[in-house]
Amino acid sequence: MPPEIVTALPPELLAALPPEIVSVLAILTPSMLIFLSLLISVPFALTAYLVARKRGLRVRYWTMLGLILGPFVLPFLLFAKKKKLRQ
């Protein structure tokens, strides 16, 4: 049980959390947290890639933002102006 995650939280917050949450936090290792954040962020990066490609936007830029920001990038992406095609 890695105590570094649980001890990194302020004692007031630990006291306010239900014991079930504290026990889950105590089980998670840093590598598991990285894996979970990637598991959440990668689908949003893929979604950002597909939407940016369809709208003619910078694909790499929006994919990286989707990977970093996760679900928070989608509203910005949907309100971004479409690129006009030059003829």
Side-chain angles (χ1 to χ4, degrees):
M1 178 150 119
E4 65 269 1
I5 295 173
V6 176
T7 56
L9 296 173
E12 303 85 30
L13 181 60
L14 277 175
L17 289 174
E20 298 85 15
I21 302 287
V22 174
S23 64
V24 168
L25 287 175
I27 293 171
L28 293 176
T29 63
S31 60
M32 289 172 71
L33 289 173
I34 291 170
F35 175 74
L36 284 174
S37 54
L38 283 175
L39 190 68
I40 292 169
S41 293
V42 167
F44 288 104
L46 180 63
T47 304
Y49 167 80
L50 294 172
V51 173
R53 188 177 70 177
K54 183 177 181 180
R55 295 177 62 105
L57 302 171
R58 295 186 308 180
V59 174
R60 272 191 231 153
Y61 173 78
W62 286 104
T63 303
M64 288 306 297
L65 278 179
L67 189 62
I68 294 168
L69 299 177
F72 302 109
V73 78
L74 294 180
F76 294 106
L77 183 60
L78 294 175
F79 288 113
K81 292 183 180 179
K82 289 183 181 181
K83 255 190 179 175
K84 295 179 182 177
L85 297 175
R86 292 183 185 177
Q87 295 182 3

